Amino acid sequence: MDQASPARRGPLAGLRVLDLSGLGPAPFATMMLADFGASVLSVRRPDPMPFDPAVAMSRGKDAIGLDLRSPGGQETARRLAQSVDILVEGFRPGVMERLGLGPDMLIAANPGLIYARLTGWGQTGPYATRAGHDINYLAISGALGVTGEDKPTAPPGLLGDLANGSYTMMIGVLMALVERQRTGMGQVIDAAIVDGASYMLGAMFGELELGLWDGDPAHSLLGGKAPFYGVYRCADEKWFSVGAIEQKFYAAMLSILGLDDIDASAQAQMDRAHWPALRERVAAAFRTKPQAEWTPLFAAIDSCGAPVLTVDELAADPHNAARATVTVDDKGVLTAAPAPRLSGHPDLVTAINPRTARPATEILAEAGFAAEEIDGLIADKVVWSL
């Protein structure tokens, strides 16, 4: 698939990926693989949604239309899977098997294939075949129950779909690639958003065991109720974040806010009985100045404070600009650089693998399809260019 593709940059160059995922966090995961050098072929369905998230996550990928409901489309996908290192799918359990594209069949034909399955609930369990979205997976994982102040608050899809879906799948793929170097064998990855979120929440279970937290979000140091860890509205209605957990940072925060009369000792700081009153005073102090005035005050002293940026402010932020974390082109389109940074591939920050627009004929020819086969698939509307 990749002999005539644009030059790939990154540590995954040479790896070939077939992305059958469609919707959800899997297209983001395959975009990550493409960002870091893999050659990714994204298969799109004949009846896309009015807004197809996969299109917005197509950076660095080839793409073709393929009707997987037809026998010809299924056979085409099976043949494509024989020449790739990684296959990614995001359907409910049983769908790929019904299409004749399950892992048993494909790995039998390609023993080194890493077959990555990314879903909300996972491949097994009583919820496995249920419909669901990010908020439901976070609810069952326990992560939603510790998010928010007055009630559980649904965070953006970043926390569930991407952080605990895409990244969890990526970790599984990379581990499987390492093991394949030793054994030559592929394997099936069952990446579930619920599992990933519960795994991350497990870091807080130690606080319960040690008696540092009783499980009530209102009593968590990181839940937003502590006066030294949360967000506050400024005089201009913008927001400012503080994370002054350590006593020295707490003392610095109080000094910047002009609250020197408050006891800044560690014992007083952690007295939860006084948190509501302290939070009101901190909130009132922040209301006296606009965000633009608080920003340099907190920047001048180690105090764990930062302005809450809106999307249209990201590229102009001096830190983001210096690292090219978020950039904007002359058309106003934002781009986020791949993460993490690799010293062997510094160009990935600014020269991300480009989006491709190659015809289906070229892509299938590279995968070993004969010209007459390609003509027949196109004539039968099994395959089409995107």
Side-chain angles (χ1 to χ4, degrees), residues 10 72 217 247 256 263 270 340 378:
Q247 188 273 332
I256 294 170
D263 185 353
M270 295 301 171
I378 293 175

Side-chain angles (χ1 to χ4, degrees), residues 170-260:
M170 276 288 294
I171 292 169
V173 166
L174 296 177
M175 288 192 292
L177 285 170
V178 170
E179 187 166 35
R180 193 178 71 171
Q181 290 179 333
R182 298 196 304 269
T183 67
M185 302 300 295
Q187 59 186 289
V188 180
I189 298 164
D190 176 4
I193 296 171
V194 169
D195 294 352
S198 294
Y199 193 25
M200 292 181 68
L201 183 65
M204 299 180 68
F205 294 166
E207 295 183 32
L208 294 171
E209 184 179 354
L210 296 173
L212 300 176
W213 181 42
D214 60 4
D216 186 338
H219 298 159
S220 172
L221 292 180
L222 308 181
K225 288 292 188 181
F228 47 82
Y229 196 93
V231 295
Y232 293 95
R233 196 184 295 271
C234 304
D236 57 356
E237 302 301 320
K238 293 186 177 183
W239 295 89
F240 201 89
S241 72
V242 290
I245 299 173
E246 293 82 359
Q247 188 273 332
K248 65 178 180 179
F249 299 142
Y250 178 60
M253 181 195 78
L254 294 178
S255 178
I256 294 170
L257 295 173
L259 300 176
D260 297 296

Side-chain angles (χ1 to χ4, degrees), residues 89 93-94 96-97 103 115-119 123 169 188-192:
E89 65 99 355
M96 291 291 281
E97 283 79 1
Y115 193 110
R117 319 190 82 162
L118 177 50
T119 60
Q123 297 298 309
M169 194 210 81
V188 180
I189 298 164
D190 176 4

Side-chain angles (χ1 to χ4, degrees), residues 8 12 16 25 53 66 74 77 168 174 183 195 198 241 264 289 302 310:
R8 313 301 294 170
L12 302 183
R16 293 170 294 176
L66 183 60
Q74 294 162 11
T168 296
L174 296 177
T183 67
D195 294 352
S198 294
S241 72
K289 299 180 189 297
D302 261 345
T310 59

